Amino acid sequence: MADHTNNEKITKYRKPLNTNIGMIIFGVLFIYIIICMIMYVKTDHLSGYEVKNGSLTVNNVYRGIAIREEKLHQSNSAGYIYYFMPEGSHVACGDLVYAIDSAGALAELAQTETNESELTNSDLADLKSKIINYRSNFDITNFSTVYDFKHELQNEVAKLNNLSTLHAIDNLSSASGVNKYYSDSPGALVFSTDGYEELTADTITTEHFNEEAYSKRLFLTNDLVGNGDTIYKLVTDEDWELVIQVPVERVQELVDAEYVQTKFLKDQFVLWGKVTVYGLTEDGKSQFVGLSFTTSMISYITERFLDVELVLEEDTGLKIPNSAIAEKNFFLVEKKYLHQSNINGKDGVLRETYTEDGDITTEFIETTIYNVEDDIYYLDESVLQIGDVLHMEDSAETMTVSKQASLVGVYNINKGYADFKQIRILYHNDEYSIVESNTMYGLNAYDHIALDASSVVDDQFVYE
Protein backbone atom coordinates (compact mmCIF):
# COMPACT_ATOMS: atom_id res chain seq x y z
CA MET A 1 0.00 0.00 0.00
CA ALA A 2 1.45 3.35 -1.05
CA ASP A 3 2.50 5.92 1.67
CA HIS A 4 0.72 9.33 1.36
CA THR A 5 2.72 12.46 2.40
CA ASN A 6 0.98 15.80 3.31
CA ASN A 7 2.82 18.46 1.25
CA GLU A 8 0.46 21.31 2.08
CA LYS A 9 2.30 24.70 2.63
CA ILE A 10 1.01 26.91 5.48
CA THR A 11 1.37 30.68 4.89
CA LYS A 12 1.04 33.11 7.82
CA TYR A 13 -1.64 35.71 7.30
CA ARG A 14 -0.51 39.30 7.58
CA LYS A 15 -2.96 41.66 9.12
CA PRO A 16 -3.55 44.79 7.08
CA LEU A 17 -1.89 47.98 8.45
CA ASN A 18 -4.58 50.08 10.06
CA THR A 19 -3.55 53.74 10.22
CA ASN A 20 -4.76 55.46 13.42
CA ILE A 21 -5.08 59.15 12.54
CA GLY A 22 -5.56 60.05 16.20
CA MET A 23 -2.18 58.63 17.17
CA ILE A 24 -0.50 60.49 14.32
CA ILE A 25 -2.01 63.79 15.40
CA PHE A 26 -1.03 63.11 19.03
CA GLY A 27 2.54 62.30 17.97
CA VAL A 28 2.84 65.46 15.91
CA LEU A 29 1.49 67.56 18.75
CA PHE A 30 3.84 65.89 21.23
CA ILE A 31 6.85 66.63 19.05
CA TYR A 32 5.66 70.21 18.57
CA ILE A 33 5.31 70.67 22.33
CA ILE A 34 8.80 69.33 22.94
CA ILE A 35 10.24 71.70 20.31
CA CYS A 36 8.36 74.65 21.83
CA MET A 37 9.63 73.79 25.30
CA ILE A 38 13.20 73.62 24.05
CA MET A 39 12.80 76.95 22.25
CA TYR A 40 11.23 78.49 25.37
CA VAL A 41 14.11 77.38 27.56
CA LYS A 42 16.75 78.67 25.12
CA THR A 43 14.99 81.99 24.45
CA ASP A 44 15.89 85.08 26.50
CA HIS A 45 12.76 86.23 28.28
CA LEU A 46 11.77 89.78 29.06
CA SER A 47 10.45 90.28 32.55
CA GLY A 48 7.85 93.01 32.67
CA TYR A 49 7.24 95.73 35.24
CA GLU A 50 4.03 97.72 35.57
CA VAL A 51 4.67 101.45 35.93
CA LYS A 52 2.78 103.13 38.76
CA ASN A 53 2.72 106.50 40.44
CA GLY A 54 4.83 106.68 43.57
CA SER A 55 7.50 108.48 45.53
CA LEU A 56 10.93 107.59 46.83
CA THR A 57 11.69 106.85 50.44
CA VAL A 58 14.85 108.84 50.96
CA ASN A 59 16.97 108.78 54.08
CA ASN A 60 17.08 112.42 55.10
CA VAL A 61 18.53 111.80 58.57
CA TYR A 62 22.08 113.03 59.09
CA ARG A 63 24.46 113.34 62.03
CA GLY A 64 26.15 116.71 62.14
CA ILE A 65 28.84 118.60 64.04
CA ALA A 66 27.85 121.84 65.76
CA ILE A 67 30.19 124.76 65.06
CA ARG A 68 30.03 127.72 67.46
CA GLU A 69 32.05 130.76 68.50
CA GLU A 70 33.70 129.33 71.61
CA LYS A 71 36.25 130.90 73.95
CA LEU A 72 38.17 128.94 76.59
CA HIS A 73 38.79 130.48 80.03
CA GLN A 74 41.60 129.51 82.41
CA SER A 75 41.88 129.59 86.19
CA ASN A 76 43.75 132.47 87.82
CA SER A 77 44.72 130.46 90.90
CA ALA A 78 44.94 126.92 92.27
CA GLY A 79 42.50 125.20 94.59
CA TYR A 80 39.00 123.75 94.67
CA ILE A 81 36.61 125.36 92.22
CA TYR A 82 32.99 126.27 92.91
CA TYR A 83 30.68 127.36 90.09
CA PHE A 84 27.83 129.74 90.84
CA MET A 85 26.16 129.90 87.42
CA PRO A 86 24.34 126.96 85.79
CA GLU A 87 25.61 125.50 82.53
CA GLY A 88 23.88 127.02 79.51
CA SER A 89 23.06 130.27 81.29
CA HIS A 90 23.95 133.63 79.80
CA VAL A 91 26.45 135.69 81.75
CA ALA A 92 27.15 139.37 81.32
CA CYS A 93 30.50 141.03 81.67
CA GLY A 94 31.19 141.33 85.43
CA ASP A 95 28.91 138.47 86.58
CA LEU A 96 30.25 136.15 89.27
CA VAL A 97 31.06 132.80 87.66
CA TYR A 98 33.19 130.82 90.10
CA ALA A 99 35.31 130.92 93.22
CA ILE A 100 38.60 129.18 94.03
CA ASP A 101 39.09 127.83 97.55
CA SER A 102 42.77 127.32 98.19
CA ALA A 103 42.55 126.68 101.94
CA GLY A 104 39.36 124.65 102.40
CA ALA A 105 37.34 127.37 104.12
CA LEU A 106 34.62 127.36 101.47
CA ALA A 107 34.35 123.59 101.56
CA GLU A 108 33.63 123.67 105.29
CA LEU A 109 31.11 126.48 104.83
CA ALA A 110 29.42 124.71 101.94
CA GLN A 111 29.03 121.55 104.07
CA THR A 112 27.37 123.52 106.87
CA GLU A 113 25.05 125.41 104.55
CA THR A 114 24.13 122.29 102.63
CA ASN A 115 23.10 120.44 105.76
CA GLU A 116 20.82 123.30 106.70
CA SER A 117 19.30 123.91 103.23
CA GLU A 118 16.45 122.19 101.50
CA LEU A 119 15.47 122.11 97.84
CA THR A 120 12.54 124.31 97.01
CA ASN A 121 9.54 123.11 95.02
CA SER A 122 10.88 125.05 92.06
CA ASP A 123 14.25 123.29 92.35
CA LEU A 124 12.61 119.88 92.53
CA ALA A 125 10.35 120.66 89.56
CA ASP A 126 13.37 121.72 87.52
CA LEU A 127 15.21 118.48 88.27
CA LYS A 128 12.11 116.40 87.56
CA SER A 129 11.61 118.15 84.22
CA LYS A 130 15.18 117.40 83.17
CA ILE A 131 14.83 113.71 84.07
CA ILE A 132 11.50 113.30 82.25
CA ASN A 133 12.82 115.08 79.16
CA TYR A 134 15.91 112.89 79.02
CA ARG A 135 13.93 109.71 79.54
CA SER A 136 11.50 110.52 76.71
CA ASN A 137 14.33 111.20 74.26
CA PHE A 138 16.73 108.45 75.32
CA ASP A 139 18.11 106.33 72.49
CA ILE A 140 19.75 103.06 73.50
CA THR A 141 21.93 103.15 70.36
CA ASN A 142 23.51 106.34 71.66
CA PHE A 143 24.30 105.27 75.20
CA SER A 144 27.06 107.87 75.65
CA THR A 145 24.34 110.46 76.30
CA VAL A 146 23.91 108.87 79.74
CA TYR A 147 27.23 110.36 80.81
CA ASP A 148 26.26 113.77 79.50
CA PHE A 149 23.03 113.57 81.45
CA LYS A 150 24.90 112.53 84.58
CA HIS A 151 27.19 115.53 84.15
CA GLU A 152 24.19 117.81 83.69
CA LEU A 153 22.53 116.56 86.90
CA GLN A 154 25.76 116.84 88.86
CA ASN A 155 26.16 120.44 87.81
CA GLU A 156 22.52 121.18 88.58
CA VAL A 157 22.77 119.75 92.11
CA ALA A 158 26.12 121.45 92.68
CA LYS A 159 24.65 124.74 91.51
CA LEU A 160 21.84 124.47 94.03
CA ASN A 161 24.28 123.64 96.83
CA ASN A 162 26.71 126.39 95.90
CA LEU A 163 23.98 129.01 95.62
CA SER A 164 23.01 128.24 99.21
CA THR A 165 26.50 129.24 100.38
CA LEU A 166 26.99 132.18 98.03
CA HIS A 167 25.49 134.73 100.43
CA ALA A 168 27.91 133.66 103.18
CA ILE A 169 31.10 134.11 101.13
CA ASP A 170 31.21 137.81 101.88
CA ASN A 171 31.47 136.99 105.58
CA LEU A 172 34.77 135.20 105.05
CA SER A 173 37.91 137.20 105.75
CA SER A 174 40.34 138.07 103.00
CA ALA A 175 42.78 135.64 104.61
CA SER A 176 40.42 132.68 104.17
CA GLY A 177 41.93 131.76 100.80
CA VAL A 178 38.66 132.09 98.88
CA ASN A 179 38.84 134.20 95.70
CA LYS A 180 35.86 135.12 93.57
CA TYR A 181 36.17 135.53 89.77
CA TYR A 182 33.91 137.37 87.38
CA SER A 183 33.29 137.06 83.67
CA ASP A 184 35.35 139.40 81.51
CA SER A 185 33.03 138.98 78.51
CA PRO A 186 29.41 138.07 77.84
CA GLY A 187 28.36 134.64 76.60
CA ALA A 188 26.74 131.31 77.41
CA LEU A 189 28.51 129.02 79.91
CA VAL A 190 29.68 125.51 79.07
CA PHE A 191 31.50 123.32 81.61
CA SER A 192 33.30 121.00 79.18
CA THR A 193 35.87 121.03 76.41
CA ASP A 194 36.49 118.61 73.52
CA GLY A 195 39.19 120.10 71.31
CA TYR A 196 36.70 121.23 68.66
CA GLU A 197 36.58 124.81 69.90
CA GLU A 198 38.80 126.10 67.09
CA LEU A 199 37.13 123.98 64.40
CA THR A 200 35.52 125.86 61.51
CA ALA A 201 33.13 124.64 58.85
CA ASP A 202 35.65 125.11 56.03
CA THR A 203 38.38 123.08 57.81
CA ILE A 204 36.23 120.13 58.83
CA THR A 205 37.21 116.63 57.64
CA THR A 206 35.69 113.15 57.74
CA GLU A 207 37.93 112.31 60.67
CA HIS A 208 36.12 114.84 62.82
CA PHE A 209 32.98 112.67 62.48
CA ASN A 210 34.77 109.67 64.00
CA GLU A 211 33.10 109.53 67.40
CA GLU A 212 35.26 106.61 68.54
CA ALA A 213 38.20 109.02 68.63
CA TYR A 214 36.13 111.83 70.16
CA SER A 215 36.48 112.65 73.85
CA LYS A 216 35.04 115.33 76.10
CA ARG A 217 36.52 116.64 79.32
CA LEU A 218 33.96 117.67 81.93
CA PHE A 219 34.45 120.37 84.55
CA LEU A 220 32.73 119.66 87.87
CA THR A 221 32.31 121.83 90.91
CA ASN A 222 34.61 120.93 93.83
CA ASP A 223 37.27 119.73 91.37
CA LEU A 224 40.88 120.55 92.18
CA VAL A 225 42.33 122.86 89.50
CA GLY A 226 45.74 124.37 88.93
CA ASN A 227 46.69 127.89 87.99
CA GLY A 228 46.18 128.28 84.23
CA ASP A 229 43.96 125.19 83.84
CA THR A 230 40.96 125.49 81.53
CA ILE A 231 37.87 125.65 83.73
CA TYR A 232 35.01 126.68 81.43
CA LYS A 233 34.22 128.15 78.03
CA LEU A 234 31.87 130.82 76.76
CA VAL A 235 29.86 130.63 73.56
CA THR A 236 29.97 134.25 72.48
CA ASP A 237 27.58 134.28 69.51
CA GLU A 238 23.98 133.15 69.14
CA ASP A 239 24.60 132.30 65.46
CA TRP A 240 25.81 128.73 64.94
CA GLU A 241 26.14 126.12 62.23
CA LEU A 242 25.60 122.38 61.88
CA VAL A 243 27.83 120.63 59.33
CA ILE A 244 26.58 117.36 57.80
CA GLN A 245 27.86 114.98 55.12
CA VAL A 246 25.49 114.78 52.15
CA PRO A 247 25.80 112.45 49.11
CA VAL A 248 27.09 114.42 46.11
CA GLU A 249 23.99 113.73 44.03
CA ARG A 250 21.76 115.38 46.66
CA VAL A 251 23.78 118.56 47.19
CA GLN A 252 22.25 120.49 44.28
CA GLU A 253 18.78 119.86 45.65
CA LEU A 254 19.78 121.56 48.91
CA VAL A 255 21.50 124.41 47.08
CA ASP A 256 18.36 125.05 45.04
CA ALA A 257 16.27 125.11 48.22
CA GLU A 258 18.67 127.66 49.84
CA TYR A 259 16.87 127.27 53.19
CA VAL A 260 16.02 123.79 54.52
CA GLN A 261 13.55 122.90 57.23
CA THR A 262 15.59 120.98 59.82
CA LYS A 263 14.08 118.78 62.54
CA PHE A 264 16.30 118.04 65.55
CA LEU A 265 15.64 114.45 66.58
CA LYS A 266 16.61 115.11 70.20
CA ASP A 267 13.48 117.14 70.90
CA GLN A 268 11.65 117.23 67.52
CA PHE A 269 12.19 120.98 67.35
CA VAL A 270 12.22 122.45 63.83
CA LEU A 271 14.40 125.29 62.54
CA TRP A 272 15.09 126.70 59.09
CA GLY A 273 18.77 126.39 58.18
CA LYS A 274 20.58 128.38 55.50
CA VAL A 275 22.53 126.06 53.18
CA THR A 276 26.25 126.54 52.57
CA VAL A 277 28.32 124.02 50.60
CA TYR A 278 31.92 123.29 51.54
CA GLY A 279 34.47 120.80 50.17
CA LEU A 280 34.18 117.16 49.22
CA THR A 281 34.94 114.33 51.61
CA GLU A 282 38.16 112.41 51.11
CA ASP A 283 36.46 109.64 49.12
CA GLY A 284 34.66 112.16 46.88
CA LYS A 285 31.26 110.51 47.44
CA SER A 286 29.88 113.09 49.86
CA GLN A 287 30.12 116.80 50.42
CA PHE A 288 30.14 118.85 53.58
CA VAL A 289 27.04 121.03 53.84
CA GLY A 290 26.53 123.63 56.56
CA LEU A 291 23.12 124.57 57.95
CA SER A 292 23.29 127.99 59.61
CA PHE A 293 20.91 129.02 62.39
CA THR A 294 20.41 132.28 64.24
CA THR A 295 18.39 130.97 67.20
CA SER A 296 18.18 128.05 69.66
CA MET A 297 21.93 127.70 70.09
CA ILE A 298 21.45 127.50 73.84
CA SER A 299 19.17 124.43 73.50
CA TYR A 300 22.02 122.30 72.16
CA ILE A 301 24.99 124.11 73.70
CA THR A 302 26.38 121.06 75.51
CA GLU A 303 26.26 118.76 72.47
CA ARG A 304 28.79 118.57 69.66
CA PHE A 305 27.05 115.86 67.61
CA LEU A 306 23.38 116.25 66.69
CA ASP A 307 21.02 114.07 64.65
CA VAL A 308 18.74 116.00 62.33
CA GLU A 309 16.18 115.19 59.65
CA LEU A 310 15.94 117.40 56.60
CA VAL A 311 12.25 117.95 55.85
CA LEU A 312 12.19 118.09 52.05
CA GLU A 313 9.30 117.87 49.62
CA GLU A 314 9.04 114.39 48.16
CA ASP A 315 9.36 114.05 44.40
CA THR A 316 6.35 112.17 43.05
CA GLY A 317 5.81 110.76 39.59
CA LEU A 318 6.17 107.42 37.82
CA LYS A 319 8.27 105.03 39.88
CA ILE A 320 10.49 102.66 37.88
CA PRO A 321 13.43 100.41 38.81
CA ASN A 322 16.88 101.64 37.77
CA SER A 323 17.55 98.33 36.02
CA ALA A 324 14.92 99.27 33.40
CA ILE A 325 16.74 102.44 32.34
CA ALA A 326 18.77 102.44 29.12
CA GLU A 327 20.50 104.95 26.87
CA LYS A 328 20.11 104.93 23.10
CA ASN A 329 21.49 106.98 20.20
CA PHE A 330 19.31 108.74 17.63
CA PHE A 331 19.70 110.83 14.48
CA LEU A 332 18.85 114.52 14.75
CA VAL A 333 16.66 115.85 11.94
CA GLU A 334 15.17 119.33 11.61
CA LYS A 335 11.41 119.63 11.78
CA LYS A 336 11.09 120.94 8.21
CA TYR A 337 12.29 117.59 6.83
CA LEU A 338 9.50 115.65 8.56
CA HIS A 339 6.41 114.84 6.48
CA GLN A 340 3.21 112.88 6.80
CA SER A 341 2.26 110.07 4.48
CA ASN A 342 -0.65 110.79 2.13
CA ILE A 343 -1.74 107.18 2.52
CA ASN A 344 -1.83 106.49 6.26
CA GLY A 345 -0.91 109.88 7.76
CA LYS A 346 2.16 108.50 9.54
CA ASP A 347 5.32 110.55 10.05
CA GLY A 348 8.36 110.05 7.90
CA VAL A 349 11.07 111.62 5.74
CA LEU A 350 11.77 111.86 2.01
CA ARG A 351 15.06 110.07 1.42
CA GLU A 352 17.03 110.52 -1.78
CA THR A 353 17.37 107.42 -3.95
CA TYR A 354 18.08 106.53 -7.59
CA THR A 355 16.06 104.83 -10.33
CA GLU A 356 17.40 102.05 -12.54
CA ASP A 357 18.29 104.70 -15.06
CA GLY A 358 20.37 106.59 -12.50
CA ASP A 359 17.92 109.43 -12.07
CA ILE A 360 17.57 111.04 -8.64
CA THR A 361 14.23 110.52 -6.93
CA THR A 362 12.88 110.29 -3.38
CA GLU A 363 11.15 107.63 -1.34
CA PHE A 364 9.03 108.06 1.75
CA ILE A 365 10.56 106.36 4.80
CA GLU A 366 8.27 105.91 7.77
CA THR A 367 9.98 106.88 11.03
CA THR A 368 9.10 106.95 14.71
CA ILE A 369 9.66 110.18 16.63
CA TYR A 370 11.22 109.67 20.05
CA ASN A 371 11.69 113.25 21.21
CA VAL A 372 11.48 116.88 20.06
CA GLU A 373 13.75 119.72 21.26
CA ASP A 374 13.69 123.16 19.67
CA ASP A 375 12.28 121.86 16.35
CA ILE A 376 14.90 119.08 16.28
CA TYR A 377 13.46 115.58 16.02
CA TYR A 378 15.08 112.41 17.37
CA LEU A 379 14.66 109.62 14.80
CA ASP A 380 15.52 105.95 15.07
CA GLU A 381 18.85 104.74 13.68
CA SER A 382 17.27 101.55 12.35
CA VAL A 383 15.62 103.28 9.34
CA LEU A 384 18.31 105.84 8.49
CA GLN A 385 22.04 105.75 7.96
CA ILE A 386 24.80 108.32 8.20
CA GLY A 387 25.13 109.93 4.78
CA ASP A 388 21.48 109.60 3.79
CA VAL A 389 20.24 112.73 2.00
CA LEU A 390 16.82 114.02 3.05
CA HIS A 391 14.68 116.33 0.91
CA MET A 392 12.30 119.01 2.01
CA GLU A 393 8.88 118.62 0.47
CA ASP A 394 8.25 120.96 -2.48
CA SER A 395 11.74 122.39 -2.17
CA ALA A 396 15.22 121.77 -3.48
CA GLU A 397 16.69 122.11 0.02
CA THR A 398 18.35 118.98 1.40
CA MET A 399 20.26 117.82 4.46
CA THR A 400 22.67 114.97 5.04
CA VAL A 401 22.03 112.73 8.03
CA SER A 402 25.03 112.90 10.37
CA LYS A 403 24.26 114.46 13.76
CA GLN A 404 23.44 112.13 16.64
CA ALA A 405 22.47 112.42 20.27
CA SER A 406 21.41 110.02 22.99
CA LEU A 407 18.26 109.77 25.08
CA VAL A 408 17.65 108.12 28.42
CA GLY A 409 14.62 105.88 28.44
CA VAL A 410 13.03 102.50 28.96
CA TYR A 411 11.65 99.76 26.72
CA ASN A 412 7.86 99.76 26.58
CA ILE A 413 6.41 96.27 25.98
CA ASN A 414 2.69 97.09 25.85
CA LYS A 415 2.40 95.94 22.22
CA GLY A 416 4.28 92.68 22.65
CA TYR A 417 7.64 93.97 21.50
CA ALA A 418 10.32 96.26 22.94
CA ASP A 419 9.73 99.90 21.97
CA PHE A 420 12.07 102.57 23.36
CA LYS A 421 10.43 105.46 25.24
CA GLN A 422 12.22 108.53 26.52
CA ILE A 423 12.00 109.41 30.23
CA ARG A 424 12.83 112.51 32.28
CA ILE A 425 14.26 111.51 35.66
CA LEU A 426 13.17 113.78 38.51
CA TYR A 427 15.04 111.99 41.28
CA HIS A 428 16.56 108.61 42.02
CA ASN A 429 18.10 106.50 44.76
CA ASP A 430 20.08 103.26 44.57
CA GLU A 431 17.12 101.15 43.42
CA TYR A 432 14.40 103.33 41.89
CA SER A 433 13.87 106.50 39.92
CA ILE A 434 10.98 108.91 39.80
CA VAL A 435 10.25 110.04 36.24
CA GLU A 436 7.93 112.67 34.88
CA SER A 437 4.53 111.36 33.82
CA ASN A 438 2.33 112.11 30.81
CA THR A 439 5.14 113.50 28.67
CA MET A 440 5.03 113.45 24.88
CA TYR A 441 6.73 110.30 23.56
CA GLY A 442 7.17 109.15 27.17
CA LEU A 443 5.52 106.87 29.72
CA ASN A 444 2.12 106.80 31.35
CA ALA A 445 0.87 105.10 34.47
CA TYR A 446 0.20 101.35 34.10
CA ASP A 447 2.46 101.00 31.06
CA HIS A 448 4.51 97.81 31.05
CA ILE A 449 8.26 98.09 30.59
CA ALA A 450 11.15 95.63 30.40
CA LEU A 451 12.60 95.14 33.88
CA ASP A 452 16.17 94.58 32.67
CA ALA A 453 17.10 96.97 29.86
CA SER A 454 20.55 95.44 29.41
CA SER A 455 19.01 92.24 28.00
CA VAL A 456 16.77 94.01 25.46
CA VAL A 457 17.30 94.68 21.77
CA ASP A 458 15.09 96.99 19.70
CA ASP A 459 11.79 95.46 18.54
CA GLN A 460 12.46 92.26 20.46
CA PHE A 461 9.33 90.18 20.93
CA VAL A 462 8.17 89.57 24.46
CA TYR A 463 8.16 86.07 25.90
CA GLU A 464 6.94 86.30 29.47
Side-chain angles (χ1 to χ4, degrees), residues 255-420:
V255 172
D256 293 340
E258 189 175 358
Y259 285 87
V260 176
Q261 196 173 12
T262 307
K263 179 189 292 184
F264 291 82
L265 300 187
K266 174 185 176 182
D267 52 12
Q268 303 300 305
F269 193 68
V270 176
L271 294 173
W272 283 91
K274 188 179 188 303
V275 176
T276 304
V277 178
Y278 299 102
L280 290 169
T281 58
E282 289 82 350
D283 59 8
K285 296 180 180 179
S286 302
Q287 202 156 2
F288 297 113
V289 173
L291 302 171
S292 301
F293 308 99
T294 58
T295 61
S296 302
M297 178 274 296
I298 202 73
S299 300
Y300 314 103
I301 194 171
T302 62
E303 298 177 72
R304 184 65 67 182
F305 295 92
L306 288 165
D307 292 315
V308 295
E309 179 183 2
L310 305 186
V311 183
L312 301 171
E313 293 184 3
E314 287 187 330
D315 289 314
T316 58
L318 301 179
K319 185 176 181 179
I320 63 172
N322 291 338
S323 61
I325 298 175
E327 190 171 353
K328 183 180 176 183
N329 288 328
F330 296 89
F331 287 120
L332 302 181
V333 175
E334 295 181 48
K335 178 181 179 180
K336 58 187 178 182
Y337 291 97
L338 266 289
H339 310 286
Q340 286 188 335
S341 170
N342 295 326
I343 299 175
N344 54 21
K346 292 187 176 181
D347 294 315
V349 294
L350 295 177
R351 183 172 61 183
E352 184 178 287
T353 186
Y354 294 89
T355 65
E356 294 180 357
D357 298 331
D359 296 329
I360 297 177
T361 185
T362 59
E363 60 177 343
F364 181 83
I365 303 296
E366 186 178 316
T367 60
T368 301
I369 300 172
Y370 290 87
N371 188 36
V372 180
E373 290 182 0
D374 299 328
D375 291 337
I376 300 296
Y377 283 72
Y378 287 69
L379 304 183
D380 198 352
E381 288 182 318
S382 62
V383 295
L384 296 175
Q385 295 181 352
I386 293 178
D388 283 347
V389 177
L390 305 183
H391 285 249
M392 187 188 305
E393 192 173 19
D394 300 327
S395 173
E397 188 174 344
T398 63
M399 72 162 288
T400 301
V401 175
S402 60
K403 293 182 179 181
Q404 291 179 294
S406 62
L407 291 175
V408 175
V410 296
Y411 285 96
N412 188 310
I413 57 175
N414 287 347
K415 299 178 180 179
Y417 61 91
D419 184 21
F420 187 89

Side-chain angles (χ1 to χ4, degrees), residues 26-252:
F26 176 79
V28 171
L29 289 175
F30 180 77
I31 295 172
Y32 174 76
I33 292 172
I34 295 298
I35 293 173
C36 289
M37 291 178 64
I38 294 174
M39 291 178 62
Y40 182 85
V41 171
K42 291 186 175 182
T43 302
D44 293 331
H45 302 278
L46 292 182
S47 297
Y49 176 87
E50 186 179 62
V51 178
K52 293 182 179 180
N53 288 304
S55 61
L56 292 184
T57 301
V58 182
N59 182 14
N60 286 325
V61 176
Y62 301 95
R63 190 159 179 82
I65 295 178
I67 305 295
R68 313 177 186 92
E69 290 287 339
E70 299 172 331
K71 180 182 178 182
L72 298 176
H73 287 256
Q74 288 75 35
S75 172
N76 293 320
S77 59
Y80 291 94
I81 190 168
Y82 292 83
Y83 297 105
F84 297 104
M85 297 288 286
E87 187 171 46
S89 61
H90 284 281
V91 296
C93 186
D95 283 350
L96 175 63
V97 178
Y98 68 99
I100 297 291
D101 178 15
S102 58
L106 190 57
E108 182 179 348
L109 180 62
Q111 182 66 34
T112 302
E113 294 290 338
T114 301
N115 291 336
E116 296 178 355
S117 63
E118 293 183 0
L119 296 178
T120 65
N121 290 334
S122 176
D123 295 335
L124 290 172
D126 190 30
L127 286 173
K128 183 178 180 180
S129 175
K130 291 180 182 295
I131 294 171
I132 293 174
N133 183 62
Y134 175 76
R135 182 178 179 181
S136 62
N137 293 293
F138 175 69
D139 182 1
I140 196 171
T141 62
N142 192 17
F143 188 77
S144 62
T145 59
V146 172
Y147 300 101
D148 294 333
F149 180 61
K150 175 185 176 183
H151 168 61
E152 183 180 352
L153 287 183
Q154 284 176 328
N155 272 318
E156 186 69 20
V157 173
K159 176 202 72 174
L160 296 175
N161 289 337
N162 290 346
L163 288 176
S164 68
T165 63
L166 180 58
H167 68 279
I169 293 180
D170 293 334
N171 297 327
L172 295 173
S173 65
S174 59
S176 63
V178 176
N179 297 304
K180 295 182 290 185
Y181 296 95
Y182 302 85
S183 175
D184 59 358
S185 59
L189 275 172
V190 179
F191 296 131
S192 65
T193 182
D194 57 7
Y196 282 41
E197 287 76 18
E198 300 296 327
L199 184 64
T200 59
D202 55 354
T203 60
I204 204 166
T205 65
T206 305
E207 188 60 30
H208 289 111
F209 286 83
N210 181 14
E211 296 186 56
E212 293 183 359
Y214 174 80
S215 63
K216 180 193 290 188
R217 180 189 173 192
L218 306 177
F219 305 131
L220 299 174
T221 194
N222 298 341
D223 279 353
L224 181 63
V225 299
N227 188 16
D229 287 352
T230 299
I231 52 175
Y232 71 91
K233 65 185 175 185
L234 284 179
V235 180
T236 58
D237 197 334
E238 183 69 20
D239 294 345
W240 61 294
E241 189 170 14
L242 188 70
V243 178
I244 60 178
Q245 297 180 82
V246 179
V248 172
E249 61 270 16
R250 300 219 63 192
V251 172
Q252 189 58 47

